[in-house]
Amino acid sequence: MGEDISGTTFTRADHARYRAKIRRCLDTLEAMLDAGVFVEDEWRTGLEIELGLAGPDMRPFHRNAEVLERIADPLYQTELGTFTIELNVEPRRIDGQSLEQLEAALRRNLNRARDRAGDVGAELVMVGILPTLPAPPAGRSWFTASDRYVALDEAVMNSRREDITLRISGPEPLSLTMDSIIAEAACTSTQLHLQVTPRRYADYWNASQLLAGPQLVMGANSPFLFGHHLQAETRVETFLQATDTRSVELRNQGVRPRVFFGDRWITSIFDLFEENVRYFPALLPVSSDEDPAAVLAAGGTPSLAELRLHNGTVYRWNRPIYDVQDGRPHLRVENRVLPAGPSVVDTLANAAFFYGMVVELVTDERPLWSRMSFDAARDNFHAAARYGIDARLYWPGLGEVSGTELVLDTLLPMAARGLERLGVEASAAGKYLDIIEARARLRRNGATWQVAAVEAYEERGKDRRDALHLMLADYVRHMHGAGPVHTWEVPT
């Protein structure tokens, strides 16, 4: 959810000042792109994992501040809900044995954090939506204490001028009215970062958009919300509706939602930032004292604080990132498609699959997205969110095919070539891509396992509430084991 802010009330003058400032930031970014001042290093990756918190009874654990105090690690931060936290993994290059090293480091970090969280009775859960989460109460009792979250809630609800009604289809459709954006807190994701050069940025972003559907076919892990069995990746529709600033009338006019897949293939990262400024009003109009153009003219690197803050309130599934490290600016694609979990090794398999595919796609002299409409990529994404492993996707040269067939016959070989291009050791590439292959052949990912486990408990006579709690207890036990989700036993 980004950095904290001070204050929750903004005046008309604040908005006017911010609009002028963000346009100055946009002009400065364009000048920086023209001047070629960005770091040219490629293929560095970072990772963010949002984690749910559960108590010993598997109910949501609403004391994230206590958990963070016990963990005492700056890599862990708050999220919107009192039952969630976020882990930021330090960036590294993708090559050699780096993915296996990342897996080992992540296991050590999470094991230590789990031990510390256990001191206050909390369990860390890597899952797209905490399955035992009940419908939220009115008000902000589930909000983490932060001016940023309160200001964001006020901005969204004031823009809507009415309560939010979640309407999500599925086997057990949900309709629920809420007076805040708290349902957004139910959505926990894995965010894969890839640092690329300005010259290649558009290719990487376009490729990432193209791959969003296949990513969810393999990685869906959010089938339950507030006790309802909904979609394979219910998180997608929940996030869209819970942060929607549009009234019904604006939706009918085709005004874009802030959870935004996009409208078109791009030719520059500037297209994305310019769209953000053109289409989306400011939610948090906090202005800094920096004059970005003056900093650049003096040979410095501007922070572009307003542009970055605004970018953090436009929730693209592949978000453009401008950042500064050691005084030098760089650009990243932040892939936000995947839910958290199910396990550490599954997370690394998802990462290897994505990085391999995206790197291989951008080498094509005739890019695949030039042979596919943007609408088709968006339709693939929504089909995969709804149906997961059972989704059918469109692919150039193949037409409409099952997602698993596309993965097995086309995308896994592509990912293998991309990882080889990155210099990833063959043994590591094989280890992670074999997990993706097994998921596709067995037609089992996190979402299918959760549904199968709940159904098994219900067949034993358990009601939905008890079945979800028992399933989550099994999930947590498996999550901390060594096996990927396709090897997890379903209770019998």
Side-chain angles (χ1 to χ4, degrees), residues 334-355:
E334 182 187 44
N335 178 259
R336 304 161 52 83
V337 170
L338 291 168
S343 68
V344 171
V345 72
D346 283 307
T347 299
L348 269 295
N350 290 339
F353 186 50
F354 171 70
Y355 290 134

Side-chain angles (χ1 to χ4, degrees), residues 226-283:
F226 305 148
H228 290 246
H229 175 202
L230 297 167
Q231 303 181 4
E233 191 50 40
T234 305
R235 170 180 141 267
V236 167
E237 193 63 29
T238 303
F239 196 20
L240 186 153
Q241 294 187 33
T243 57
D244 199 347
T245 56
R246 303 170 301 170
S247 65
V248 172
E249 294 78 10
L250 291 178
R251 290 199 298 273
N252 291 340
Q253 293 173 37
V255 172
R256 296 160 180 81
R258 295 191 87 93
V259 176
F260 187 43
F261 187 82
D263 287 332
R264 60 190 174 98
W265 307 120
I266 65 167
T267 59
S268 166
I269 189 174
F270 185 80
D271 295 348
L272 301 176
F273 283 110
E274 194 272 336
E275 283 181 352
N276 287 357
V277 174
R278 178 156 38 110
Y279 295 147
F280 300 103
L283 293 182

Side-chain angles (χ1 to χ4, degrees), residues 443-460 471 474-475 477-478 485-492:
R443 304 180 69 81
R444 178 176 291 179
N445 56 19
T448 62
W449 184 89
Q450 287 190 54
V451 171
V454 167
E455 289 177 347
Y457 280 119
E458 289 179 335
E459 287 171 3
R460 293 186 190 179
M471 178 273 285
D474 290 343
Y475 183 104
R477 176 171 53 83
H478 287 304
V485 70
H486 72 270
T487 68
W488 295 3
E489 292 183 357
V490 173
T492 56

